[in-house]
């Protein structure tokens, strides 16, 4: 994946080039306590001019580097619970060294603006046992890095406890506490409203531009074909039936039929398709490269705790929405349902910044993003319950119960808003509402399971073929010309799809055609049946027999299936917004309808078979081919995505066929089993692996018998890069930062003893040293850096630099004999960035998330170099 570099620092200030994230951390510079007056030189951040730094200096002429987060992140407390915690840690060694000052409560970064500040000053992040895993930090992360779930969740827990405590002080604090309590519900309410509005605009735009390829409504050009024909209640399947709608050849003075008008209509169809595709690809290339594709693999990775700056930004939202309308209208074999999840997540990210509780805490923000993903599926299919289950089963990494409630509420609001924007006033908000009035019989479970098996096979074939093509695109010159590739695929798609009426129409209309029942006056060729009398000895009933139109439609559908499968393989992954739900549903619906017609004719040709005995209705109709189309659609979609529960719920919400849950469940399970047997990964997991995202799937199991000592870095015979607590100078640390690229460093008592003191982040060190050298007189390369509260020996040298406040004194540790199954579970369930490996209290090494990912790849006999290790 193409990286977008951070802006270079200017004027000593390190600024992240973020998009869609207005909160940029400012590092509150330096506190220098005067020996005479005790005053503090307060340096205000360039990015947060209102933030203030309180007096936390402990020693005369000592330099404190205090990381200041956003104005609503910081608050203070004066608790000494850390003393007991620290006394249990290497107490014998500390008594031997006489270093009793190390047990003092560490003062880390404050948590808030003036409204959270305690006038008594200094506090520790480790003032209670549940916060012992929290680390001081700046509240933000570098691009393409992993968040620390434990730190962010504990920060929010501290903030919440302080707000609850302050509610009793005044009415204003009570109001602020109430606002904090319902801010999450307000945020998801706004996300649901915005997602419904955007989805309504996208739906209206797609329907209008898709019909623009065929003609226009002269009386009201902003009407699509269905709206234009709505007053006369004319059918839109047959082009000649609607007189209000004018085709392009009619506007040129020609008739609708004939060789000349056909060629003109063909030409306009191709030209409009190329225009729409070129605009979509150009917008994505120039303004928002992240707006391409489905977005669900990246959303899964982001929700697992990975940072991709700009992927959920405002430009991505705008270009993805416009580009999605253009690419779908171009007639490409793609859908808008998958990208709607990305669009809704962009909306969730943008609205989360209105509420600092979520915008400035990456772990809390992902609760809003999970609810937004549910709203995306809700507005895409009109399936709010299925959207919640999709977010839970498929995309979310951390899904507590309150997120389930808020996701349900967000999906409900989004569906309600979209329903209110329905331009035709349709009484159903789902995508393909059907009503089957015939029950299914027990024998039909066999063809339903067969459809599930076929769906699993088709899904696996598609995944492997699409991965091969995407890998070729990624590592060949083809990837350098994305717009050209889009135009070529669009041209081929338009040329091949126009002659076949089933591939020419929009895919959602074709799916609705396939899952629908035949009505008496239906003009659909699939309903070209003739009624013949059949006598069973006691009574005479009429049985339908297929006419020539049915056989012709079956052949056209077979060609449509082959063509759509091939085109979807080459289309999914191009540099335009493109989804996979609708093409998968279409492939399955075609397969299911054909199988359904076959079963129908078997029943009508052999009504005396024991499997059909007693099942005939008085009118002789007890097989519904449209039901098979619905089950087949679920089977192929399950084979491609490997969804189960959410798939069944989405399908019965999608069609309104609540009475057919058992057939859907049977097909979904068969599809899942066959797909897992032929290939372990679904399409989204496969694209995560292809793009190299560091995604540690919480649903996988690690069953290899290895130990932490086998995975840790460095190995036993190599040197570990560490920082000592009181014997290294600024120059030594700068050399260490230049020679290594680690994201953090363990802090030990000394290089001889290697007893662990804590862990410090590379980002904190860089910013702290940079600000100290710029703003504090006397700090130079020979200044001793202190990570302890020990009183330094007074000498005539440069003043020491005290960095205890940026030190995490409670890092997660394991022993060298800890099984890797336990370590992998810790990384998955706790969301760790790294863990330190010790032996008898002495530091041996570090295991980071990239080490775990590399080890998992090696154990699975895969290439570990394919993962974007950050």
């Amino acid at each position: 994946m193409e990286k977008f570099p951070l802006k270079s620092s200017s004027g000593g200030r390190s600024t992240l080039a973020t998009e869609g994230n207005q909160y940029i951390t400012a590092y509150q510079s330096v506190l220098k306590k005067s020996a005479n007056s005790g005053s503090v030189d307060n340096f205000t951040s360039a990015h947060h001019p209102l933030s203030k730094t309180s007096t936390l200096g402990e020693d005369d002429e000592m330099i404190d580097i205090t990381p200041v987060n956003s104005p609503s992140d910081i608050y203070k407390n004066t608790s000494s619970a850390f003393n007991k915690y620290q006394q249990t840690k290497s107490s014998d060694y500390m008594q031997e060294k006489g270093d009793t000052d190390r047990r003092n409560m560490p003062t880390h970064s404050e948590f808030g603006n003036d409204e959270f500040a305690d006038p008594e000053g200094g506090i520790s992040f480790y003032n209670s046992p549940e916060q012992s895993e929290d680390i001081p930090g700046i509240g933000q992360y570098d691009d393409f890095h992993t968040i620390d779930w434990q730190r962010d969740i504990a920060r929010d827990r501290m903030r919440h406890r302080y707000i609850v405590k302050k509610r009793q002080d005044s009415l204003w604090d009570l109001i602020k506490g109430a606002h904090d309590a319902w801010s999450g519900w307000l945020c998801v309410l706004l996300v649901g409203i915005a997602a419904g509005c955007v989805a309504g605009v996208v739906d209206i735009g797609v329907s209008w531009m898709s019909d623009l390829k065929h003609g226009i409504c002269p009386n009201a050009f902003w009407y699509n074909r269905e709206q234009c024909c709505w007053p006369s209640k004319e059918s839109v399947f047959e082009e000649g039936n609607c007189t209000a709608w004018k085709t392009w050849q009619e506007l040129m003075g020609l008739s609708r039929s004939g060789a000349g008008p056909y060629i003109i209509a063909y030409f306009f169809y191709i030209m409009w398709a190329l225009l729409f595709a070129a605009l979509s690809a150009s917008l994505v290339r120039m303004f928002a490269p992240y707006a391409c594709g489905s977005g669900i693999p990246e959303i899964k990775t982001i929700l697992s705790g990975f940072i991709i700056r700009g992927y959920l930004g405002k430009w991505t939202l705008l270009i993805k929405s416009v580009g999605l309308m253009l690419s779908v209208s171009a007639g490409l074999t793609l859908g808008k349902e998958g990208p709607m999840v990305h669009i809704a997540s962009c909306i969730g990210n943008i609205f989360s910044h209105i509420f600092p509780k979520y915008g400035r805490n990456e772990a809390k923000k992902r609760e809003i993003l999970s609810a937004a993903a549910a709203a995306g599926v809700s507005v895409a299919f009109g399936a709010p319950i299925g959207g919640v289950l999709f977010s839970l089963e498929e995309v979310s990494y951390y899904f507590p119960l309150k997120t389930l409630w808020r996701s349900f509420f967000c999906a409900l609001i989004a569906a309600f808003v979209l329903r209110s924007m329905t331009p035709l006033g349709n009484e159903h908000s789902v995508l393909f509402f059907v009503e089957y009035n015939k029950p299914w019989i027990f024998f039909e479970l066999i063809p339903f399971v067969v459809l599930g098996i076929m769906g699993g096979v088709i899904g696996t074939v598609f995944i492997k073929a699409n991965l091969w093509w995407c890998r070729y695109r990624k590592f060949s010159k083809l990837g350098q010309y994305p717009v050209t590739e889009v135009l070529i695929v669009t041209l081929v798609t338009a040329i091949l799809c126009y002659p076949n009426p089933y591939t020419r129409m929009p895919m959602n209309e074709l799916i609705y055609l396939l899952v629908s029942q035949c009505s008496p006056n239906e003009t659909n060729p699939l309903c070209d049946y003739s009624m013949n009398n059949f006598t069973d000895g006691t009574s005479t009933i009429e049985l339908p027999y297929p006419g020539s139109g049915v056989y012709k439609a079956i052949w056209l559908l077979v060609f449509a299936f082959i063509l759509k499968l091939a085109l979807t393989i080459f289309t999914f992954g191009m540099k335009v917004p493109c989804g996979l739900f609708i093409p998968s549903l279409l492939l399955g619906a075609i397969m299911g309808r054909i199988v359904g017609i076959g079963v129908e004719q078997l029943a009508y040709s052999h009504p005396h078979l024991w499997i059909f005995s007693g099942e005939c209705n008085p009118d002789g109709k007890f097989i519904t081919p449209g039901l098979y189309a619905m089950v087949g659609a679920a089977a192929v979609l399950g084979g491609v995505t490997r969804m189960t529960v959410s798939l069944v719920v989405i399908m019965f919400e999608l069609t309104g066929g609540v009475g057919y849950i058992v057939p859907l469940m049977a097909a979904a399970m068969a599809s899942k089993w066959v797909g897992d047997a032929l290939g372990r990964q679904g399409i989204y997991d496969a694209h995560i692996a292809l793009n190299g995202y560091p995604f540690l799937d919480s649903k996988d199991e690690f069953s290899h018998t290895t130990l932490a000592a086998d995975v840790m870095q460095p190995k036993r015979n190599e040197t570990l890069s560490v920082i000592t607590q009181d014997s290294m100078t600024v120059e030594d640390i700068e050399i260490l930062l230049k020679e290594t690229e680690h994201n953090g460093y363990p802090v030990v008592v000394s290089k001889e003893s290697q007893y662990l003191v804590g862990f410090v982040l590379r980002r904190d060190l860089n910013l702290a040293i940079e600000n100290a050298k710029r703003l504090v007189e006397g700090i130079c390369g020979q200044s001793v850096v202190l990570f302890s509260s020990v009183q330094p020996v007074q000498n005539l040298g440069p003043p020491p630099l005290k960095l205890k406040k940026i030190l995490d004194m409670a890092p997660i540790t394991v022993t060298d004999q800890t099984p890797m199954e336990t370590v992998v579970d810790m990384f998955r369930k706790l969301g760790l960035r790294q863990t330190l490996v010790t032996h008898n209290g002495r530091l041996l090494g570090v295991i980071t998330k990239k080490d775990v990912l590399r080890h998992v790849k090696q154990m699975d006999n895969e290439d570990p170099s394919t993962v974007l290790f950050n």
Side-chain angles (χ1 to χ4, degrees):
M1 185 184 66
E2 183 182 0
K3 289 187 177 181
F4 293 88
L6 303 177
K7 293 182 180 178
S8 59
S9 57
S10 175
R13 294 177 175 88
S14 179
T15 305
L16 281 176
T18 64
E19 181 184 5
N21 189 347
Q22 299 300 323
Y23 168 49
I24 304 178
T25 300
Y27 217 80
Q28 191 73 357
S29 308
V30 179
L31 299 175
K32 183 177 181 182
K33 187 175 181 181
S34 172
N36 297 326
S37 62
S39 63
V40 177
D41 294 332
N42 210 351
F43 295 90
T44 304
S45 167
H47 296 292
H48 295 279
L50 298 179
S51 61
K52 299 180 180 180
T53 307
S54 55
T55 305
L56 298 175
E58 295 177 355
D59 310 308
D60 290 346
E61 296 299 324
M62 292 296 295
I63 307 303
D64 287 346
I65 303 299
T66 303
V68 171
N69 297 325
S70 70
S72 63
D73 274 6
I74 311 172
Y75 65 93
K76 301 180 178 181
N77 191 358
T78 53
S79 172
S80 59
F82 183 81
N83 292 341
K84 297 180 181 179
Y85 167 81
Q86 192 67 9
Q87 286 171 2
T88 63
K89 193 174 178 181
S90 306
S91 58
D92 296 337
Y93 175 76
M94 285 159 44
Q95 291 174 2
E96 178 184 344
K97 298 289 289 184
D99 187 10
T100 57
D101 289 331
R102 273 188 62 210
R103 289 178 295 184
N104 292 337
M105 179 178 63
T107 304
H108 291 296
S109 57
E110 317 112 89
F111 234 116
N113 57 21
D114 298 335
E115 64 191 61
F116 292 146
D118 188 331
E120 295 184 14
I123 61 126
S124 169
F125 268 73
Y126 309 111
N127 56 2
S128 60
E130 67 268 26
Q131 293 159 359
S132 61
E133 296 159 353
D134 200 6
I135 63 174
I138 54 180
Q140 287 291 293
Y141 303 88
D142 289 334
D143 201 6
F144 298 102
H145 280 249
T146 305
I147 73 171
D148 194 306
W149 288 88
Q150 291 302 302
R151 183 196 73 174
D152 288 354
I153 293 173
R155 282 175 57 207
D156 181 74
R157 193 182 301 125
M158 289 178 62
R159 182 198 56 78
H160 177 70
R161 274 201 300 269
Y162 185 78
I163 290 176
V164 171
K165 179 182 176 181
K166 294 285 288 183
R167 282 191 306 193
Q168 303 175 358
D169 294 350
S170 66
L171 179 62
W172 178 243
D173 289 322
L174 180 63
I175 295 174
K176 289 191 296 184
H179 170 73
D180 182 78
W182 58 266
S183 60
W185 293 100
L186 178 59
C187 186
V188 296
L189 171 66
L190 296 176
V191 171
I193 293 173
C197 293
V198 172
V201 172
V202 170
D203 287 345
I204 294 171
V206 166
S207 62
W208 181 74
M209 287 192 291
S210 296
D211 291 337
L212 197 62
K213 295 182 298 182
H214 303 281
I216 198 170
C217 189
N219 298 329
F221 71 91
W222 57 89
Y223 278 0
N224 61 25
R225 185 177 173 186
E226 188 174 0
Q227 290 171 311
C228 191
C229 301
W230 186 263
S232 58
K233 303 291 185 182
E234 294 172 311
S235 172
V236 298
F237 183 75
E238 293 291 341
E239 291 189 1
N241 283 355
C242 183
T243 56
W245 176 264
K246 300 297 181 183
T247 61
W248 293 112
Q249 57 267 34
E250 285 183 302
L251 294 176
M252 298 179 66
L254 302 175
S255 62
R256 291 195 177 190
S257 59
Y262 183 85
I263 294 175
I264 292 176
Y266 205 162
F267 173 79
F268 272 97
Y269 183 90
I270 295 174
M271 289 300 102
W272 279 111
L274 290 175
L275 175 62
F276 291 152
L279 283 175
S280 179
S282 300
L283 288 174
V284 168
R285 180 179 177 85
M286 291 187 295
F287 297 105
Y290 282 149
C292 66
S294 168
I296 293 181
E298 288 77 12
I299 296 300
K300 289 187 66 173
T301 307
I302 290 172
L303 288 177
S304 73
F306 194 57
I307 300 291
I308 307 179
R309 296 289 179 207
Y311 199 85
L312 302 178
K314 54 185 180 297
W315 272 109
T316 304
L317 169 63
L318 178 62
I319 300 302
K320 186 96 175 186
S321 303
V322 177
L324 182 61
M325 290 189 287
L326 292 168
S327 58
V328 173
S329 303
L332 290 168
T333 311
L334 48 85
K336 64 179 184 297
E337 282 65 27
M340 284 306 303
V341 177
H342 186 189
I343 290 173
S345 298
C346 291
I347 295 172
N349 177 68
I350 293 171
F351 274 104
S352 67
H353 293 291
I354 302 177
F355 306 90
K357 174 182 177 180
Y358 298 99
R360 294 165 185 168
N361 190 308
E362 292 291 343
K364 294 293 291 181
K365 181 191 295 182
R366 275 148 181 77
E367 296 179 12
I368 302 298
L369 297 182
S370 294
V377 176
S378 174
V379 295
F381 292 113
I385 301 176
V388 175
L389 293 176
F390 176 82
S391 179
L392 170 63
E393 179 183 2
E394 188 65 23
V395 298
S396 293
Y397 197 85
Y398 174 70
F399 205 81
L401 187 59
K402 62 181 177 181
T403 302
L404 177 68
W405 301 335
R406 289 175 180 167
S407 300
F408 184 81
F409 178 68
C410 189
L412 166 68
I413 295 299
F416 173 76
V417 172
L418 180 63
R419 170 67 178 82
S420 303
M421 294 182 63
T422 304
L424 295 178
N426 193 347
E427 68 273 15
H428 303 298
S429 61
V430 297
L431 198 56
F432 318 113
F433 185 82
V434 294
E435 289 183 293
Y436 303 138
N437 51 11
K438 301 294 187 293
W440 56 278
I441 61 178
F442 184 77
F443 158 76
E444 290 182 284
L445 280 178
I446 297 176
F448 291 152
V449 172
V450 171
L451 283 175
I453 295 173
M454 295 170 63
V457 173
I458 293 171
T460 304
V461 170
F462 169 78
I463 292 172
K464 293 184 180 298
N466 180 253
L467 281 182
W468 172 83
W469 178 250
C470 290
R471 195 174 291 111
Y472 173 79
R473 177 195 293 127
K474 185 176 182 179
F475 297 106
S476 67
K477 290 185 177 180
L478 180 64
Q480 303 174 9
Y481 306 98
V483 179
T484 303
E485 180 194 6
V486 171
L487 292 177
I488 292 175
V489 173
T490 304
L491 180 63
V492 173
T493 302
I495 291 175
L496 296 179
C497 288
Y498 187 83
N500 188 337
Y502 292 113
T503 54
R504 185 192 315 164
M505 68 172 61
M507 286 187 290
N508 58 339
E509 294 183 10
L510 178 56
I511 295 173
Y512 179 73
L513 200 67
L514 293 169
V515 300
S516 299
Q517 291 191 96
C518 290
S519 58
N521 298 321
E522 183 65 57
T523 58
N524 180 5
L526 285 170
C527 297
D528 182 19
Y529 286 92
S530 58
M531 304 303 294
N532 294 331
N533 294 330
F534 172 78
T535 302
D536 61 355
T538 58
S539 62
T540 300
I541 58 176
E542 288 187 344
L543 292 180
Y545 282 88
S548 59
V550 174
Y551 292 110
K552 180 181 178 182
I554 289 177
W555 281 110
L556 290 176
L557 287 176
V558 170
F559 291 135
F561 178 87
I562 297 172
L563 179 61
K564 289 294 184 180
L565 177 60
L567 290 176
T568 308
I569 291 172
F570 293 100
T571 303
F572 187 71
M574 291 196 310
K575 298 303 180 184
V576 292
C578 54
L580 196 59
F581 283 102
I582 290 296
S584 301
L585 291 173
L586 175 61
L587 294 174
I590 294 174
M591 175 186 70
R593 185 78 183 203
I594 295 174
V595 172
I597 293 175
V599 175
E600 179 187 45
Q601 293 311 303
L602 174 65
Y604 294 158
S605 301
H606 303 85
H608 294 297
L609 291 178
W610 64 271
I611 55 177
F612 303 124
S613 61
E615 300 291 349
C616 284
N617 294 315
D619 57 359
K621 299 178 181 179
F622 59 94
I623 299 295
T624 307
L627 172 61
Y628 286 78
M630 183 175 72
V631 173
V636 173
L637 183 57
V640 171
T641 62
R642 306 297 160 80
M643 296 189 300
T644 52
V645 179
S646 58
L647 171 65
V648 173
V649 176
I650 287 175
M651 286 307 299
F652 81 71
E653 280 192 283
L654 191 66
T655 59
V658 184
Y660 303 99
I661 293 180
V662 173
L664 290 172
M665 292 175 65
M669 287 306 303
S671 175
K672 169 75 172 174
W673 285 336
V674 172
D676 287 344
L678 298 178
R680 188 181 60 182
Q681 293 178 321
I683 185 66
Y684 300 130
D685 293 330
H687 273 265
I688 287 174
L690 176 65
N691 293 327
Y693 299 131
F695 180 72
L696 196 59
D697 196 344
S698 59
K699 295 186 288 290
D700 290 342
E701 294 183 0
F702 184 84
S703 57
H704 305 285
T705 55
T706 52
L707 300 176
D710 303 326
V711 182
M712 69 178 186
Q713 299 292 334
K715 302 303 181 184
R716 291 184 183 273
N717 56 349
E718 298 176 359
T719 304
L720 175 63
S721 299
V722 297
I723 297 175
T724 59
Q725 67 173 351
D726 54 11
S727 61
M728 293 183 69
T729 63
V730 172
E731 184 179 5
D732 295 335
I733 292 181
E734 288 179 334
I735 292 174
L736 179 66
L737 292 172
K738 289 180 181 179
E739 292 179 349
T740 60
E741 297 180 352
H742 306 308
N743 290 328
Y745 301 90
V747 178
V748 296
V749 174
S750 65
K751 291 190 176 180
E752 292 76 21
S753 67
Q754 294 284 313
Y755 278 99
L756 181 64
V757 176
F759 191 83
V760 63
L761 297 177
R762 179 188 189 92
R763 177 182 175 84
D764 291 11
L765 275 175
N766 277 322
L767 291 176
I769 294 175
E770 177 185 345
N771 286 345
K773 294 176 69 174
R774 185 178 74 252
L775 299 172
V776 179
E777 183 179 356
I779 295 296
C780 62
Q782 302 306 315
S783 298
V784 177
V785 179
L786 299 179
F787 289 94
S788 67
S789 301
V790 180
Q791 291 288 350
V793 178
Q794 296 296 329
N795 52 43
L796 300 178
L801 181 62
K802 184 180 178 184
L803 299 183
K804 184 180 178 182
K805 293 184 180 65
I806 66 171
L807 178 66
D808 173 19
M809 299 188 68
I812 301 291
T813 60
V814 296
T815 67
D816 55 338
Q817 297 301 308
T818 304
M820 276 306 295
E821 296 97 315
T822 302
V823 176
V824 172
D825 278 344
M826 290 173 64
F827 274 88
R828 284 174 175 158
K829 297 175 181 177
L830 297 180
L832 303 181
R833 296 184 78 185
Q834 69 278 319
T835 183
L836 305 180
V837 183
T838 61
H839 178 74
N840 292 336
R842 295 176 182 268
L843 179 68
L844 291 182
V846 181
I847 298 178
T848 63
K849 189 174 182 179
K850 71 176 181 180
D851 297 324
V852 174
L853 289 164
R854 183 185 293 114
H855 184 66
V856 171
K857 287 282 187 181
Q858 289 172 345
M859 292 294 100
D860 293 338
N861 296 320
E862 298 178 14
D863 184 13
S865 62
T866 57
V867 178
L868 178 66
F869 287 127
N870 277 308

